[in-house]
Amino acid sequence: MTDTADGRGGVGSRRRGRPPRAESADTRDRILDAAREEFSERGYDKTSVRGIAKAAGVDSALVHHYFGTKEQVFEAAVEVALVPALAVRDKVLEAPLEDVGERLTRFLFGLWENPVTRRPLLAIVRSAVNNEAAATVFRRMVAAQLLRRVAGEIDAPDAELRAELAAAQLVGVAMMRYVIKIEPIASADPEQIIARVAPVVQRHLTGP
């Protein structure tokens, strides 16, 4: 049975309007789950608020009500992928600075190897590559949540540049392994990749 104009279309019909207060948290979570799936599979340009609403089983007005524009939906949907990165200062920089390259590389590749965090990361990278609005969100979140935290621990006048170069190294390898899937990088043992990439990241951060 298809949806009717007032949303009483029977089983599978989308909810229209605002849900009761008790359902708000569940509705938001369903919208974010659907958004991450859509952005991951389709990228930013091919994802629409209407498509997200359909996948979540709600009316598109609810998506706008909770999150605003598509760019704001994207930012909210992918932010969960960067939540672990908020702990990067504590998890990575608790070790001596001369070991930070290995710890940072291992930490970030751990996120990519985990199926739970890989999908939203794919949504971020695939969308940011092809769309400037998504790239702006990516830059803002990465700069604020990750790079500045790392740069703040580096005692050098070019600390931010060093942190950005380290991030570029990590993002580039991740792109080739998880997004483009170029062999033999795509099927290489993660430990082998970490062993080769970590020294380069360390040199960017603390080298001459």
Side-chain angles (χ1 to χ4, degrees), residues 36-193:
R36 283 190 289 271
E37 183 76 19
E38 291 290 303
F39 284 123
S40 176
E41 293 296 328
R42 303 174 184 276
Y44 188 91
D45 285 336
K46 294 182 179 180
T47 297
S48 67
V49 170
R50 180 175 296 180
I52 292 170
K54 182 178 180 181
V58 301
D59 188 78
S60 58
L62 268 181
V63 180
H64 289 298
H65 167 67
Y66 283 123
F67 301 104
T69 65
K70 185 171 83 167
E71 181 178 335
Q72 291 170 314
V73 178
F74 175 77
E75 185 165 4
V78 301
E79 187 174 13
V80 68
L82 294 183
V83 168
L86 297 179
V88 68
R89 180 173 56 191
D90 299 327
K91 289 181 176 293
V92 174
L93 298 175
E94 63 187 12
L97 199 57
E98 59 267 22
D99 297 329
V100 70
E102 193 273 340
R103 292 180 67 87
L104 179 61
T105 303
R106 184 173 297 281
F107 177 76
L108 292 180
F109 273 94
L111 295 180
W112 278 104
E113 288 294 317
N114 184 341
V116 175
T117 50
R118 183 186 305 155
R119 182 166 293 276
L121 284 171
L122 285 172
I124 296 172
V125 174
R126 285 175 176 162
S127 298
V129 166
N130 297 316
N131 183 273
E132 180 57 31
T136 298
V137 172
F138 178 62
R139 286 193 296 266
R140 182 168 65 244
M141 295 178 72
V142 170
Q145 307 293 2
L146 179 59
L147 295 182
R148 289 175 188 167
R149 289 173 178 261
V150 175
E153 301 295 328
I154 302 173
D155 184 18
D158 58 348
E160 288 194 12
L161 175 60
R162 288 171 175 268
E164 289 176 0
L165 288 170
Q169 184 76 41
L170 293 167
V171 170
V173 176
M175 279 281 294
M176 295 182 69
R177 177 174 172 85
Y178 301 102
V179 181
I180 306 174
K181 297 182 179 180
I182 294 178
E183 295 292 352
I185 294 178
S187 58
D189 187 290
E191 290 297 325
Q192 182 181 6
I193 294 177

